[in-house]
Structure formats: C-alpha cells, structure tokens
C-alpha cells in the first residue's frame, strides 16, 4: 500500500510538472523589465541589480590590484583571440559537401510548415498596452496615429490567430493621439507562456522531422551513387 502511495505521488508530481507553464514576461513603463520563470516562480533578468560599493572595503591598494587584474584579464583575452586566429589559419579549410546548404534549407522549410502548430501551443497574455502618439504638428500626429493604431490592430490580430491570446481587460488596450506632444510613448505588460509538456512535444516533433529528413537524404545519396556506378559499368 505504501509503495502504491509513493508511486501515485510521483506520478502526480510528474503530471503537475508537465502541466506547469514556462513564462516570459516583458514590462515597459519607460524602462524594460524582463522576467522568466515557471509557475509562480519568476526571476528578474533585466534590469540587473547593481552591486553597491562598500567604501569601507575599498582602499588604494585594492584599487591598484583591481586595475592590474583587469589588465591581466585583457591580455589573456587578447592572447586567446590571437591563438584562435592562428589555429584557424593553420587548419585546412573544410570543404562543405555539395548540397549541404540545400539540405539545410529544405529542413528549415519543413519545420516552418508546422510553425502554426508550434505557435498554437503558446499562450499570450496582454495585461496592458497603452500607446501615446505625438508629432511635430497636429497633421503629422494624426497621420502617425493612424499608422500606429492600424499596426497595433494587426499585432493583436496576429497574436490572436497564431497563439492563444488572452486579454486581461479590453480597456487596457489603448492608442491615444497627443497633438501637443512629440514622439511615441508606450506602456505594455506582455506574458508568453508555454507548458513544459508542449515544449517537449515540440522538441520531439522537430527531432523526428530532422531524423526523417536525414534518412531521406541518405537514401537519395545511395540511389545517386548506385545510378552512377551502373552508368559507369554500362559505359565500359
């Protein structure tokens, strides 16, 4: 009974993990804030926290040591770059197999054919999108406002068609014209979510496409080689 309980708990935890969403949240109110995480846990990536300099631990001796360390690190980086350059020069240039670029492009095309399936697994949450449009004069502000307003409409429609879009509040979407201001200002709060299960499904799908593509290329090469050998024998 205890073993079944433990197995049940493990299965439940795995299920919850797979259903958890990885998230990327971008916030802008003049400065860009970037957060990434999963579930309720979010880590701030941008802006980075600035380390406070403790003056009590800072002395002239440590300052000189810091400068010397920076010089040594720079010399080391320059030497490493030079060594890599020399290594590239000494190595013979590798010739790419004929048709490798074409094969890569065909693989990318096959993946792009299923792009709608992959983006359809994304969930986009728009918490706020507030754009204020200004101009040098009233006429230019009105023209810019029309362009920006249409662009925002296209963006929302694109997100709605390609992803699972959720708007927190329709009133949070606004494009306003400021005839007395200049330039374009915006405030937005956007979150993109992808369940870990869907991320794994996408990764497996792309891997299967690549394996199938490589297998087809290998078969084509073998058939071409066989036809060439047959042609040579007939020529003899």
């Amino acid at each position: 009974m205890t073993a079944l309980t433990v197995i049940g708990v493990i299965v439940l935890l795995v299920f919850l993990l797979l259903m958890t969403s990885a998230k990327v949240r971008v916030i802008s109110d003049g400065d860009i804030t970037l957060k990434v995480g999963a579930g309720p846990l979010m880590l701030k990536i941008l802006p980075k926290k600035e380390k406070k300099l403790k003056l009590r631990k800072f002395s002239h001796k440590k300052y000189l040591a810091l400068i010397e360390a920076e010089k040594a690190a720079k010399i080391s980086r320059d030497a490493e770059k030079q060594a890599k350059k020399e290594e590239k020069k000494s190595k013979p240039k590798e010739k790419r197999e004929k048709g490798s670029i074409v094969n890569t492009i065909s693989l990318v095309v096959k993946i792009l054919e299923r792009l709608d399936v992959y983006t359809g697994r994304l969930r986009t949450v728009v918490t706020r999108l507030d754009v204020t449009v200004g101009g040098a004069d009233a006429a230019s502000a009105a023209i810019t406002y029309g362009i920006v307003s249409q662009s925002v409409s296209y963006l929302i429609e694109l997100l709605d068609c390609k992803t699972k879009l959720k708007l927190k509040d329709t009133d949070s979407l606004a494009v306003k014209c400021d005839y007395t201001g200049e330039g374009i200002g915006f405030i937005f709060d956007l979150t993109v979510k992808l369940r870990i299960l869907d991320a794994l499904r996408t990764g497996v799908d792309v891997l299967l496409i690549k394996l199938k593509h490589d297998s087809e290329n290998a078969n084509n090469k073998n058939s071409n080689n066989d036809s060439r050998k047959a042609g040579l024998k007939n020529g003899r």
Side-chain angles (χ1 to χ4, degrees):
M1 188 65 181
T2 305
L4 291 176
T5 303
V6 172
I7 293 172
V9 171
I10 293 173
V11 170
L12 179 61
L13 290 175
V14 171
F15 174 77
L16 292 176
L17 177 63
L18 293 175
M19 298 304 291
T20 300
S21 294
K23 298 185 290 186
V24 177
R25 186 178 182 185
V26 184
I27 305 170
S28 175
D29 54 357
D31 296 325
I32 298 292
T33 301
L34 176 64
K35 296 181 179 181
V36 297
L41 301 176
M42 297 293 288
L43 297 176
K44 184 185 288 186
I45 305 299
L46 293 174
K48 293 182 178 180
K49 291 183 178 179
E50 296 183 0
K51 293 183 179 179
K52 293 182 179 179
L53 182 63
K54 295 181 179 180
L55 297 176
R56 284 179 293 180
K57 294 184 178 181
F58 197 74
S59 63
H60 181 66
K61 184 178 180 181
K62 288 184 178 181
Y63 174 72
L64 294 176
L66 181 62
I67 292 177
E68 291 298 326
E70 288 181 353
K71 287 182 180 179
K74 187 178 184 302
I75 294 171
S76 178
R77 287 195 299 269
D78 293 341
E80 188 177 351
K81 288 180 181 178
Q82 188 63 30
K84 287 182 179 179
K85 288 181 180 179
E86 295 296 332
E87 187 178 356
K88 285 182 180 180
K89 289 180 181 179
S90 61
K91 282 185 178 180
K93 292 183 179 180
E94 296 180 358
K95 293 183 178 180
R96 289 187 177 183
E97 293 185 8
K98 190 177 180 179
S100 61
I101 296 177
V102 176
N103 292 336
T104 302
I105 292 174
S106 64
L107 174 61
V108 172
V109 169
K110 287 181 179 179
I111 294 174
L112 290 177
E113 287 175 352
R114 291 185 55 80
L115 187 61
D116 287 345
V117 177
Y118 304 147
T119 57
R121 294 168 183 168
L122 294 172
R123 287 178 291 164
T124 308
V125 181
V126 179
T127 305
R128 186 179 182 187
L129 179 57
D130 191 343
V131 185
T132 303
V133 181
D137 50 48
S140 62
I143 293 171
T144 307
Y145 168 76
I147 296 171
V148 172
S149 179
Q150 193 66 38
S151 300
V152 171
S153 298
Y154 286 149
L155 174 63
I156 297 300
E157 184 178 356
L158 180 65
L159 292 175
D160 191 25
C161 293
K162 299 298 182 181
T163 68
K164 297 174 183 175
L165 177 64
K166 180 181 179 182
L167 300 176
K168 286 287 187 179
D169 187 2
T170 54
D171 295 334
S172 62
L173 298 178
V175 181
K176 296 172 287 188
C177 185
D178 184 3
Y179 294 103
T180 60
E182 293 186 6
I184 301 174
F186 55 86
I187 299 173
F188 67 84
D189 187 346
L190 175 70
T191 304
V192 179
K193 302 179 182 180
L194 178 64
R195 289 189 306 180
I196 294 176
L197 176 62
D198 291 332
L200 292 175
R201 289 170 59 197
T202 302
V204 171
D205 195 16
V206 172
L207 179 60
L208 291 176
I209 291 173
K210 186 180 185 307
L211 292 175
K212 184 179 178 181
H213 179 265
D214 292 343
S215 177
E216 290 174 353
N217 287 335
N219 292 334
N220 290 334
K221 285 182 181 179
N222 292 333
S223 62
N224 290 335
N225 291 334
D226 292 340
S227 62
R228 288 176 184 174
K229 289 179 181 178
L232 291 173
K233 287 181 180 179
N234 294 331
R236 289 177 183 174

